């Protein structure tokens, strides 16, 4: 398993004055402690040089939107062509970030408005977003919560998290809790263990999800200890955030393997970013690599209207074009849902190419991914029932509890009235071997 590339070795040595071991590099706390926050360090570690004019403009950007990148993620940049490199573009500040468009907003998703308790965004009927960390292991330039980046670089106080937990306890409609931030995996294992334990005590909380970019930007955070802790709290789902196939390195594949082996269903949320992944070939390669590593592409986001992101935005048509190139052309489970998170807090709205061409009362006209136009005959008889919610009189099976599965064993089987077994025969019985099968 390659841990070091030459570049990684070189970066690690520069950081630690030659005194570096593989276990340093693979220690997530070492990575965080040595996160790169200055443009000069960025240039020095990669051996690149910007012209002074450009550096000046970038310093201005930094005053508003700070820089932070882990040595690991930095090491993935292709120095030969760094200006087009997807990792560079996602991590290095650009003067364009200061261009605020007329329709840009600081909180386009109205997350702060839809917040009935500290850290909670309750937008959908049955699930909440619970921000339990204000920090990230790196600052994505395309962050939708850019307004908060570097703000209060701290973990919210326990009392604040208690208030969020209290909200969830008091609202039995909440069956799904999405832990987000910041990055929840910036919390220590013990702290996260506490939050998960408290959530698990709440009977109406059926599932917990964690949104984290650690497998991408700091895969060493996925340790055996973390996995063993998470496993105690199943069902836990994890969504991560790969945007480009180059991000699936040996280290990040290993992190995904550990998570998947722990029985954690994995999903991926990508953002469509101009100059980074706004290309059918790149996206197809990304989704293929994801499913190869047991990650289901979940959402492809149209870039939000947050301030400072205008240079990353593509027209919506680009997203539809990419979906056109995926649907039908590759495995259904490799296709994410393309969504716009509606400005003003309307939630995610799915967008697809149109497949329905026309319809009459008995026929539907459709086209497939190849452009073949086809028809579907509607059923001749369909008794559309008037649903007045009088479920007691309905013929549909509305027993929604799990079907019971009985399995008796041994002599109990012979005694049971509900079982037709008349004899039990030892394996390899000679008499049975001699029998004709007809
Ligand atoms: C995205 C989001 C969710 C989760 O939505 P799903 O479609 O269930 O993944 C929940 N709350 C908020 C505020 C969100 O933005």
């Amino acid at each position: 398993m390659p841990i070091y590339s030459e570049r990684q070795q070189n970066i690690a040595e520069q950081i630690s004055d030659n005194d570096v071991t593989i276990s340093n590099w693979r220690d997530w706390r070492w990575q965080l402690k040595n996160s790169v926050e200055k443009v000069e360090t960025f240039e020095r570690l990669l051996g690149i040089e910007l012209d002074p004019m450009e550096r000046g403009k970038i310093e201005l950007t930094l005053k508003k939107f700070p820089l932070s990148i882990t040595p690991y993620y930095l090491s993935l940049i292709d120095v030969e062509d760094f200006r087009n490199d997807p990792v560079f573009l996602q991590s290095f500040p650009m003067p364009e970030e200061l261009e605020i468009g007329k329709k840009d907003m600081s909180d386009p998703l109205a997350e702060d408005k839809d917040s009935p308790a500290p850290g909670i965004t309750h937008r959908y009927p049955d699930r909440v977003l619970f921000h339990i960390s204000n920090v990230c292991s790196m600052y994505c330039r395309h962050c939708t919560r850019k307004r908060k980046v570097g703000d209060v670089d701290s973990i919210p106080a326990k009392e604040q998290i208690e208030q969020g937990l209290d909200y969830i306890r008091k609202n039995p409609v909440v069956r799904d809790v999405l832990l987000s931030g910041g990055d929840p995996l910036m919390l220590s294992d013990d702290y996260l263990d506490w939050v998960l334990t408290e959530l698990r005590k709440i009977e109406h909380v059926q599932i917990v999800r964690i949104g984290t970019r650690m497998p991408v930007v700091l895969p060493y955070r996925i340790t055996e200890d973390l996995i063993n802790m998470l496993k105690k709290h199943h069902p836990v789902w994890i969504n991560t955030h790969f945007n480009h196939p180059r991000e699936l390195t040996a280290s990040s594949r290993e992190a995904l393997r550990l998570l998947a082996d722990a029985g954690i269903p994995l999903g991926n949320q990508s953002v469509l970013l101009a100059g980074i992944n706004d290309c059918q070939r790149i996206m197809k390669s990304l989704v293929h690599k994801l499913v190869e590593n047991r990650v289901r592409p979940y959402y492809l986001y149209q870039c939000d209207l947050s301030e400072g992101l205008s240079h990353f935005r593509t027209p919506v048509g680009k997203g539809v074009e990419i979906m056109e190139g995926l649907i039908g052309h590759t495995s259904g489970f490799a296709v994410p849902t393309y969504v716009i998170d509606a400005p003003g807090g309307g939630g995610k709205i799915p967008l697809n190419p149109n497949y329905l061409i026309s319809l009459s009362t008995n026929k539907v006209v459709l086209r497939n991914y190849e452009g073949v136009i086809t028809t579907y005959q509607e059923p001749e008889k369909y008794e559309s029932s008037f649903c007045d919610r009088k479920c007691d009189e309905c013929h549909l099976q509305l027993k929604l509890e799990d079907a019971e599965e009985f399995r008796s064993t041994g002599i109990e089987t012979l005694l049971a009235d509900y079982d037709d077994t008349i004899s039990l025969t030892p394996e390899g019985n000679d008499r049975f071997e001699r029998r004709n099968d007809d």
Side-chain angles (χ1 to χ4, degrees):
M1 171 67 50
I3 294 163
Y4 275 151
S5 66
E6 249 169 74
R7 177 161 319 281
Q8 289 174 342
Q9 181 74 41
N10 176 278
I11 289 174
E13 282 172 5
Q14 291 188 68
I15 290 173
S16 302
D17 281 334
N18 292 327
D19 182 25
V20 67
T21 61
I22 281 176
S23 56
N24 279 146
W25 183 262
R26 304 208 80 188
D27 173 0
W28 65 281
R29 294 188 189 274
W30 182 93
Q31 288 275 339
L32 285 179
K33 205 172 77 210
N34 291 295
S35 278
V36 177
E37 294 174 357
K38 292 200 173 109
V39 178
E40 304 92 78
T41 324
F42 202 106
E43 291 181 74
R44 179 168 55 79
L45 292 178
L46 285 184
I48 60 176
E49 211 173 319
L50 303 168
D51 77 61
M53 267 272 282
E54 191 180 9
R55 201 178 296 124
K57 284 189 191 160
I58 285 162
E59 293 294 347
L60 276 179
T61 311
L62 283 188
K63 288 205 177 107
K64 187 154 185 208
F65 301 123
L67 157 72
S68 182
I69 178 171
T70 57
Y72 162 80
Y73 198 52
L74 181 88
S75 77
L76 308 186
I77 295 173
D78 172 9
V79 176
E80 302 303 315
D81 187 21
F82 68 90
R83 293 207 182 264
N84 290 314
D85 186 277
V87 174
F88 178 81
L89 293 169
Q90 288 179 73
S91 58
F92 196 75
M94 288 292 160
E96 288 91 331
E97 291 173 42
L98 297 178
E99 291 168 13
I100 313 284
K102 281 202 254 347
K103 304 280 168 162
D104 288 3
M105 296 174 255
S106 80
D107 176 20
L109 310 180
E111 288 182 328
D112 296 342
K113 258 189 234 140
D114 275 348
S115 178
I120 297 269
T121 305
H122 193 170
R123 167 158 311 147
Y124 296 105
D126 64 343
R127 53 208 189 279
V128 294
L129 196 62
F130 189 8
H131 305 264
I132 57 168
S133 152
N134 297 322
V135 274
C136 278
S137 58
M138 75 149 304
Y139 299 154
C140 303
R141 301 325 294 179
H142 55 279
C143 182
T144 187
R145 303 193 183 114
K146 229 171 150 79
R147 65 186 186 281
K148 299 195 167 176
V149 173
D151 232 29
V152 226
D153 233 10
S154 63
I155 302 296
K158 216 163 177 168
E159 299 88 80
Q160 194 180 321
I161 295 193
E162 275 289 5
Q163 287 175 30
L165 285 168
D166 242 6
Y167 178 82
I168 297 167
R169 282 186 199 110
K170 289 189 181 126
N171 282 275
V173 292
V174 180
R175 45 160 286 286
D176 174 4
V177 176
L178 209 171
L179 299 177
S180 179
D183 196 317
L185 296 190
M186 287 293 277
L187 304 180
S188 68
D189 293 357
D190 285 346
Y191 201 106
L192 199 55
D193 192 17
W194 170 72
V195 175
L196 289 168
T197 305
E198 289 307 306
L199 285 171
R200 274 285 157 255
K201 285 184 196 157
I202 307 172
E203 211 169 310
H204 54 266
V205 174
Q206 296 170 352
I207 59 164
V208 178
R209 296 192 248 178
I210 299 174
T212 174
R213 210 176 180 200
M214 290 293 188
V216 189
V217 297
L218 184 48
Y220 312 127
R221 174 66 185 94
I222 313 304
T223 58
E224 296 275 349
D225 285 348
L226 176 72
I227 295 285
N228 289 332
M229 183 277 286
L230 292 175
K231 269 196 329 207
K232 292 189 307 183
H233 301 287
H234 269 316
V236 174
W237 293 56
I238 286 186
N239 264 335
T240 186
H241 176 178
F242 286 92
N243 284 329
H244 194 280
R246 294 245 342 262
E247 295 170 330
L248 283 134
T249 61
S251 301
S252 81
R253 285 166 193 259
E254 173 63 10
L256 297 173
R257 187 187 66 76
L258 286 169
L259 291 167
D261 282 354
I264 300 172
L266 300 173
N268 185 68
Q269 317 200 138
S270 297
V271 185
L272 183 55
L273 296 167
I276 294 177
N277 58 14
D278 52 338
C279 155
Q280 281 187 347
R281 271 188 71 191
I282 291 176
M283 273 298 176
K284 197 185 261 180
S285 156
L286 174 63
V287 298
H288 285 169
K289 283 198 178 180
L290 287 169
V291 297
E292 241 187 294
N293 288 283
R294 292 182 279 173
V295 183
R296 168 92 158 81
Y298 183 52
Y299 283 136
L300 170 62
Y301 286 95
Q302 174 66 14
C303 188
D304 284 332
L305 295 174
S306 303
E307 286 172 0
L309 304 188
S310 52
H311 58 300
F312 283 127
R313 278 182 217 129
T314 64
V316 174
K318 182 49 80 175
V320 175
E321 181 190 326
I322 286 171
M323 295 307 290
E324 190 75 74
L326 293 176
I327 297 172
H329 296 271
T330 193
S331 321
F333 60 81
V335 181
T337 304
Y338 175 44
V339 292
I340 295 190
D341 215 334
K348 298 175 187 72
I349 299 172
L351 283 172
N352 264 329
N354 290 327
Y355 293 97
L356 179 64
I357 291 183
S358 194
L359 75 171
S360 68
T361 54
N362 61 1
K363 251 193 211 179
V364 181
V365 182
L366 307 154
R367 63 107 181 166
N368 78 348
Y369 70 100
E370 300 164 293
V372 170
I373 294 180
T374 185
T375 56
Y376 176 83
Q377 182 68 47
E378 298 275 36
E380 269 160 39
K381 267 198 297 187
Y382 173 74
E383 282 179 40
S384 84
S385 52
F386 174 74
C387 178
D388 51 7
R389 287 267 170 160
K390 285 193 181 143
C391 299
D392 292 345
E393 294 158 25
C394 183
H395 69 283
L396 293 172
Q397 201 185 79
L398 281 164
K399 281 186 249 163
L400 302 180
E401 62 279 8
D402 298 350
E404 284 187 82
E405 293 175 310
F406 285 111
R407 189 172 154 267
S408 51
T409 52
I411 306 299
E412 185 195 353
T413 316
L414 301 179
L415 297 174
D417 290 329
Y418 54 79
D419 197 298
D420 293 334
T421 311
I422 51 167
S423 64
L424 300 176
T425 315
E427 220 176 297
N429 179 297
D430 288 349
R431 185 165 52 89
F432 276 73
E433 298 276 309
R434 287 190 297 272
R435 277 192 177 171
N436 288 326
D437 273 339
D438 55 334

